[in-house]
Amino acid sequence: MKSLIQLLSKFDPATGQIAGAAATSRYLSDLGSCFLDTAAYQSALQAGNPLVYSVASVALGSGDGDLHYGLGKIMPGRVGSEYYMTKGHFHAWREAAELYIGLAGEGVMLLEEEVSGSTQVVPLRPCQTVYVPGHTAHRTINVGSVPLTYLGVYPAKAGHDYGAIARRNFSKVLIDRNGQPVLLDRSAAVRS
Ligand code: PAN
Ligand code: ZN
């Protein structure tokens, strides 16, 4: 049996930390290939290099039945008219699904199925869950004005494949238009 300290975790949605867990921080400079408006991205970087999001992760076992989980915290903000967001990824083991649990703030998950390319936008809010099926790229976006925090629980062997998204990005973008999130095709958004 694992020890109590392994079985129980204490997390703080306000700080985005899980006691005793390592955290990864992503700054604006880490997200060069994510944002649509490269001029807005460059001028935002010249003004500073803010923290965009952090993920504290707990990864205890590595067996087939084990689970890992992370606490994500995405700051409010925009680059041009695009909201702060995560890099987004497929799971390296494509069949791995994930359950997201909204804790605070107002978010959206952008899901893109690998083979069909079909896209879905699902709200991520406190006391709501979002089920991310396998074979689906997922990106989390803060569309609100306060930090967005959530838990993501996934199979230990899921792994993270960032390469495919870094090469071609998601086919859709979520843009702020007069205070409302609007989903556009990336190609159409480039022209607009
Ligand atoms: C999440 C993500 C977290 C950060 O824990 O890792 O939201 O997003 P990126 O990993 O795309 O930077 C998860 O989906 N884990 O599988
Ligand atoms: Zn994931």
Side-chain angles (χ1 to χ4, degrees):
M1 179 59 100
K2 296 186 190 314
S3 66
L4 181 61
I5 203 145
Q6 292 174 309
L7 297 174
L8 176 76
S9 74
K10 288 188 187 172
F11 63 85
D12 182 352
T15 62
Q17 291 180 344
I18 302 177
T24 301
S25 297
R26 301 285 188 205
Y27 293 86
L28 193 59
S29 60
D30 299 318
L31 304 172
S33 57
C34 294
F35 293 100
L36 174 78
D37 185 340
T38 48
Y41 176 73
Q42 288 306 331
S43 71
L45 261 188
Q46 273 165 16
N49 187 20
L51 177 70
V52 177
Y53 66 96
S54 63
V55 193
S57 303
V58 176
L60 276 180
S62 56
D64 282 356
D66 279 316
L67 295 172
H68 289 177
Y69 58 95
L71 172 64
K73 178 181 180 185
I74 308 177
M75 306 310 289
R78 281 180 302 180
V79 171
S81 54
E82 212 173 2
Y83 305 95
Y84 278 7
M85 63 178 117
T86 60
K87 287 184 171 196
H89 59 271
F90 287 99
H91 292 145
W93 178 44
R94 290 292 198 268
E95 285 167 43
E98 180 162 359
L99 187 72
Y100 274 71
I101 303 162
L103 300 174
E106 197 185 339
V108 157
M109 293 205 64
L110 180 58
L111 307 181
E112 186 169 313
E113 210 269 332
E114 186 165 31
V115 176
S116 67
S118 69
T119 294
Q120 225 164 348
V121 170
V122 188
L124 180 64
R125 303 238 172 93
C127 301
Q128 291 185 350
T129 61
V130 177
Y131 184 84
V132 179
H135 301 273
T136 304
H138 42 292
R139 165 172 279 165
T140 313
I141 304 169
N142 185 348
V143 297
S145 54
V146 297
L148 171 71
T149 53
Y150 54 92
L151 287 167
V153 186
Y154 46 96
K157 64 178 190 177
H160 294 84
D161 173 3
Y162 293 100
I165 291 301
R167 280 189 294 279
R168 61 170 175 70
N169 217 328
F170 284 74
S171 63
K172 308 272 187 188
V173 292
L174 200 68
I175 298 288
D176 176 299
R177 283 272 165 85
N178 304 318
Q180 291 302 316
V182 174
L183 189 70
L184 297 176
D185 284 332
R186 181 169 299 279
S187 48
V190 169
R191 291 191 299 271
S192 69

